Amino acid sequence: MLKRKNKRKLEKYDLFANILVILFAVLSVFPLYWLITSSFKTSASVVKMPPDWFPETFHIQNYIDVFNNQPALKWAMNSFTVAFTTTVVLIMVSSLAAYGFSKLQFKGKNIIFIIFISSLMVPKEVMIVPLFRVVQDLGMVNSIHGMIWPNVATAFGVFLLKGFFDNIPDSLRESARIDGAGELRTFFKIMLPIVKPGIGALFILNFVEIWNDYLWQLVIGQTEDSKTLMVGVATLMQDLNPNFAYKMAGATVAAIPMLVIFIFFQRYFTRGIIIGADKG
């Protein structure tokens, strides 16, 4: 009898927990739902009270106007180029550095790593003026190069991936050395495939961060052709007589690539988070 009572209590707790999780999931998804549905409404319908929870008629013209009246396609290509290139280069650099700090032995390794990680405590806004001067002296203002390379110089990827490399037994590396594999071959053929969950998690986190990096992209991209989608969509908000549905369509266009990236890398992201939690 006692076991049955305990089982019933657990079932009640599980039911309550599931209802709570579903409720928070709905609340989390609702802003995205409202954004997408509002992009198909008229401007008057967006601000209508009480609101229309679902569009009475779908106005595709909002999306047509975004691409016809603004160089939205150019902005989207700039954003994707900056986010994708930065993330790929960052993963290459961070994985090599993380492997070195985790598996190689050299003088002052711990001190260098501490100094390296300490840079994470410095906000990017503090460095934005001297960083802009450096980029300006290098002639990379109004260029996607000025948006890419400063964002590669961050220690977050090294910090994240080092934990995954630390979890790999040293015996694998020693076995590869015995079989005649060099350091680079050991890294690319053995170590890198094992840390794919961490790379997937880093890809999503960094891609979303760079895609949403409004301030730095606003400072560097000052011409119409060098703007990214986030900066370009923000300029739509400056009208004195705003068309809210038009702006919602622009914001939806900016959000779609992040959703696609997350869907494709969700499996690696989830595994990376789970492995990181197990190690912690």
Side-chain angles (χ1 to χ4, degrees), residues 32-99:
L32 181 62
Y33 167 80
W34 184 254
L35 173 68
I36 295 175
T37 54
S38 296
S39 67
F40 292 101
K41 300 177 182 177
T42 62
S43 183
S45 297
V46 174
V47 296
K48 178 183 175 183
M49 294 300 291
D52 293 328
W53 300 109
F54 194 79
E56 295 180 358
T57 57
F58 284 82
H59 293 268
I60 308 296
Q61 190 64 36
N62 295 326
Y63 288 93
I64 296 174
D65 291 341
V66 167
F67 287 96
N68 286 345
N69 300 338
Q70 305 289 342
L73 190 59
K74 175 67 175 176
W75 295 344
M77 287 301 300
N78 287 344
S79 287
F80 183 80
T81 302
V82 170
F84 184 79
T85 305
T86 302
T87 303
V88 170
V89 176
L90 176 72
I91 288 174
M92 292 172 58
V93 174
S94 298
S95 59
L96 286 167
Y99 175 75

Side-chain angles (χ1 to χ4, degrees), residues 69-136:
N69 300 338
Q70 305 289 342
L73 190 59
K74 175 67 175 176
W75 295 344
M77 287 301 300
N78 287 344
S79 287
F80 183 80
T81 302
V82 170
F84 184 79
T85 305
T86 302
T87 303
V88 170
V89 176
L90 176 72
I91 288 174
M92 292 172 58
V93 174
S94 298
S95 59
L96 286 167
Y99 175 75
F101 280 120
S102 176
K103 298 302 180 183
L104 302 184
Q105 299 298 325
F106 52 91
K107 189 175 181 180
K109 180 178 75 170
N110 293 332
I111 296 175
I112 295 173
F113 182 72
I114 291 172
I115 296 173
F116 203 62
I117 298 303
S118 297
S119 64
L120 292 174
M121 295 186 291
V122 181
K124 190 175 181 179
E125 289 76 13
V126 174
M127 304 181 292
I128 197 165
V129 174
L131 190 59
F132 175 78
R133 292 295 301 272
V134 172
V135 172
Q136 188 179 42

Side-chain angles (χ1 to χ4, degrees), residues 23-275:
L23 177 62
F24 279 110
V26 171
L27 291 175
S28 300
V29 174
F30 180 76
L32 181 62
Y33 167 80
W34 184 254
L35 173 68
I36 295 175
T37 54
S38 296
S39 67
F40 292 101
K41 300 177 182 177
T42 62
S43 183
S45 297
V46 174
V47 296
K48 178 183 175 183
M49 294 300 291
D52 293 328
W53 300 109
F54 194 79
E56 295 180 358
T57 57
F58 284 82
H59 293 268
I60 308 296
Q61 190 64 36
N62 295 326
Y63 288 93
I64 296 174
D65 291 341
V66 167
F67 287 96
N68 286 345
N69 300 338
Q70 305 289 342
L73 190 59
K74 175 67 175 176
W75 295 344
M77 287 301 300
N78 287 344
S79 287
F80 183 80
T81 302
V82 170
F84 184 79
T85 305
T86 302
T87 303
V88 170
V89 176
L90 176 72
I91 288 174
M92 292 172 58
V93 174
S94 298
S95 59
L96 286 167
Y99 175 75
F101 280 120
S102 176
K103 298 302 180 183
L104 302 184
Q105 299 298 325
F106 52 91
K107 189 175 181 180
K109 180 178 75 170
N110 293 332
I111 296 175
I112 295 173
F113 182 72
I114 291 172
I115 296 173
F116 203 62
I117 298 303
S118 297
S119 64
L120 292 174
M121 295 186 291
V122 181
K124 190 175 181 179
E125 289 76 13
V126 174
M127 304 181 292
I128 197 165
V129 174
L131 190 59
F132 175 78
R133 292 295 301 272
V134 172
V135 172
Q136 188 179 42
D137 292 341
L138 294 174
M140 292 192 295
V141 177
N142 295 322
S143 167
I144 61 173
H145 295 286
M147 303 177 193
I148 292 173
W149 300 114
N151 284 311
V152 173
T154 177
F156 175 73
V158 179
F159 173 74
L160 179 66
L161 294 180
K162 182 179 181 296
F164 287 88
F165 282 114
D166 287 343
N167 206 39
I168 300 175
D170 291 334
S171 57
L172 286 177
R173 180 168 169 264
E174 293 170 0
S175 298
R177 296 295 296 273
I178 292 173
D179 291 339
E183 205 67 67
L184 286 177
R185 188 175 181 183
T186 302
F187 171 74
F188 285 109
K189 296 292 185 179
I190 299 175
M191 297 295 181
L192 207 58
I194 297 176
V195 299
K196 279 197 299 184
I199 292 175
L202 179 59
F203 188 96
I204 292 178
L205 293 172
N206 196 76
F207 188 93
V208 172
E209 180 184 355
I210 300 302
W211 186 272
N212 294 324
D213 190 13
Y214 171 77
L215 180 59
W216 181 246
Q217 294 171 5
L218 176 66
V219 171
I220 296 298
Q222 301 172 0
T223 61
E224 198 72 14
D225 289 338
S226 63
K227 287 180 181 178
T228 58
L229 195 57
M230 283 298 165
V231 177
V233 168
T235 60
L236 302 178
M237 309 296 180
Q238 299 174 2
D239 300 335
L240 295 177
N241 186 21
N243 183 334
F244 292 104
Y246 177 60
K247 301 177 192 308
M248 291 289 187
T252 302
V253 171
I256 286 175
M258 289 187 291
L259 295 175
V260 173
I261 289 294
F262 183 79
I263 290 171
F264 276 106
F265 285 86
Q266 182 182 14
R267 178 164 58 95
Y268 294 113
F269 179 75
T270 306
R271 286 175 58 194
I273 295 299
I274 293 173
I275 293 173

